[in-house]
Amino acid sequence: MPKITLLFASLHVLLMLVLLAPIPRYRSSRKIGLGDGGDKVLTRMIRTHGNFIEHAPFALLVLALLELCGLAPAWVWGFGSALLLGRVLHALGLSRSGGYSFGRFTGTVLTWLVFLAMALAGLWLALR
C-alpha cells in the first residue's frame, strides 16, 4: 500500500486548493467570466495553478508506482519531499512575478530533477 505517496498526494491536493481558491474570488471581483479578460494578475494566477496541474499528477503517479514496486522508503520520502518543495517554491515564485524569480527557477529545476531521478529509479526497478 503506497502510504508515503498518499501523504504527499494529500499535501499536493491542499496546495492545489490554495492555488485554486483565489481565482474565483478574483474573477468575481473583476467581473471576468471565461478566460483571463486580459488581466495580467488573473493570467498569472491561472498559470500558477495550471503549471501545478501540468506537473504534480504525473509526478505523483510515478512516485506511487515506485513505492508499489518496492523502492526503498527513504527514496520515496526524498522524492516526495523534493517534489513538494519544488512545487511550493515554483508556485510562490510565479504567483509573485511573471518574470524570473528565485522560487520559480529553483522550483522548476528541483521538479525537473525529481522527474529525472524518478525516471532513472523506475528504469532501474523495471529492468533489474
Side-chain angles (χ1 to χ4, degrees):
M1 183 176 303
K3 287 190 174 188
I4 300 169
T5 302
L6 176 59
L7 171 68
F8 283 109
S10 299
L11 293 172
H12 277 81
V13 167
L14 294 175
L15 176 56
M16 180 194 68
L17 291 171
V18 167
L19 298 176
L20 179 61
I23 296 172
R25 283 194 313 261
Y26 190 87
R27 283 182 185 283
S28 179
S29 72
R30 299 292 192 274
K31 298 190 183 346
I32 301 170
L34 188 60
D36 60 24
D39 186 297
K40 291 184 183 211
V41 172
L42 182 56
T43 299
R44 196 166 56 248
M45 293 168 79
I46 292 168
R47 280 310 311 141
T48 301
H49 176 256
N51 187 279
F52 179 85
I53 293 300
E54 292 162 5
H55 290 82
F58 193 72
L60 290 167
L61 171 64
V62 174
L63 187 66
L65 290 170
L66 290 171
E67 187 174 3
L68 287 169
C69 287
L71 187 66
W75 284 102
V76 179
W77 279 102
F79 291 153
S81 298
L83 177 66
L84 183 60
L85 178 61
R87 295 292 75 210
V88 167
L89 287 171
H90 185 273
L92 287 171
L94 184 55
S95 67
R96 294 180 180 159
S97 167
Y100 173 86
S101 70
F102 172 81
R104 186 177 180 192
F105 175 79
T106 306
T108 297
V109 170
L110 189 53
T111 299
W112 289 4
L113 288 174
V114 170
F115 268 113
L116 176 61
M118 289 193 308
L120 294 174
L123 289 170
W124 177 75
L125 285 172
L127 299 174
R128 66 178 176 144

